[in-house]
Amino acid sequence: MNTHSHHDNSASTGTTATTASTVSTTRAGVRAQLGRAGAIGLAVLATAATTAVLAPTATAAPRATQAAEPAFLAPNELPPHASSAWYASPVTAGTPDPLPFCVGPALPGATSVHRDFWTEYDTGAVQVTVVERDETSAKSLAALWNKTIRACADKVEQEDPDMTAEFRDFGSINVEEGANVYGIHTAHAWGSSDINMFSVGRDGRTVTVVKWGQMGNFQHAQVPDFKKTTTTAVNKLY
């Protein structure tokens, strides 16, 4: 607007009036434009200030924490073998193939996760873990597995007249929500003899079953070692 100060003062009064009117109009337009720009600027600043105030609240909202996956036994946590180390497969979704003796038919295929173990000789094991939707469902699944194992010896003899089977309950273990340990000895008429140990344990809505087996009878059951393995398996769930 300083350019208007260089007009010739010798100009006629009409010209001066016209020029003054034009300057006045121009100044009013500029003030109007500045007013609109100022209003816009204030609005932008107000929006920015509001955003700055609200942003920390939005970013400070807590995030949902994803529950960790239950851990499985390591090979060296199985009952020790006199002549071999233990080996293990990766943790695998689904049920083992073939299904484990006794407890296999009671395993839910869609939600089971398992790990197989073996030695260089006649001993093997498997752990199957299921995470249920709530504790009530987990209790029901644990009860089903316990019932299936307890009934297994009678079922074996009913299905194969040449087989004899003996069941023993080795009691419970005070770990997390509890675990139960069982043994089943099977013998065939033509001479085979096998001992299998089972345990069912629960931690919250997660249930795990461990099966260990080898050739032999109850003298080869390694009950104290298997109870230690069971305690470790349940403690490792979370």
Side-chain angles (χ1 to χ4, degrees):
M1 293 190 297
N2 291 335
T3 56
H4 296 293
S5 63
H6 298 289
H7 286 289
D8 188 357
N9 291 331
S10 62
S12 64
T13 304
T15 303
T16 301
T18 302
T19 302
S21 176
T22 302
V23 171
S24 176
T25 302
T26 302
R27 287 176 176 173
V30 170
R31 283 197 297 269
Q33 290 175 356
L34 288 175
R36 288 194 296 270
I40 294 171
L42 289 174
V44 171
L45 290 173
T47 302
T50 302
T51 303
V53 170
L54 294 178
T57 304
T59 56
R63 293 183 178 180
T65 302
Q66 184 176 1
E69 294 296 326
F72 278 71
L73 288 166
N76 61 1
E77 293 168 334
L78 274 292
H81 191 281
S83 306
S84 172
W86 280 95
Y87 307 94
S89 71
V91 174
T92 306
T95 53
D97 184 17
L99 290 174
F101 174 58
C102 279
V103 76
L107 300 178
T111 53
S112 293
V113 181
H114 72 277
R115 190 177 201 187
D116 293 309
F117 304 87
W118 63 92
T119 67
E120 296 171 3
Y121 296 96
D122 60 354
T123 308
V126 63
Q127 180 183 7
V128 183
T129 298
V130 174
V131 180
E132 285 285 10
R133 61 183 179 275
D134 51 42
E135 287 201 29
T136 300
S137 300
K139 289 178 182 178
S140 297
L141 181 60
L144 173 62
W145 287 354
N146 283 309
K147 180 180 179 180
T148 301
I149 295 168
R150 292 190 183 103
C152 184
D154 290 340
K155 185 177 180 180
V156 166
E157 292 184 344
Q158 291 171 3
E159 293 179 350
D160 189 345
D162 292 330
M163 293 283 288
T164 58
E166 180 185 355
F167 167 82
R168 291 186 186 179
D169 188 335
F170 289 103
S172 60
I173 300 174
N174 185 21
V175 54
E176 298 300 341
E177 273 69 58
N180 297 291
V181 178
Y182 312 102
I184 297 177
H185 171 242
T186 56
H188 200 277
W190 52 260
S192 68
S193 179
D194 296 288
I195 180 67
N196 285 276
M197 298 290 296
F198 302 86
S199 63
V200 178
R202 183 174 68 87
D203 182 358
R205 63 190 184 99
T206 302
V207 191
T208 194
V209 58
V210 181
K211 174 199 166 293
W212 168 98
Q214 67 174 24
M215 292 177 62
N217 52 39
F218 279 111
Q219 294 180 349
H220 308 98
Q222 293 184 247
V223 176
D225 290 328
F226 188 73
K227 285 188 173 183
K228 183 179 179 181
T229 293
T230 297
T231 300
T232 302
V234 177
N235 274 329
K236 288 185 73 172
L237 290 176
Y238 293 107

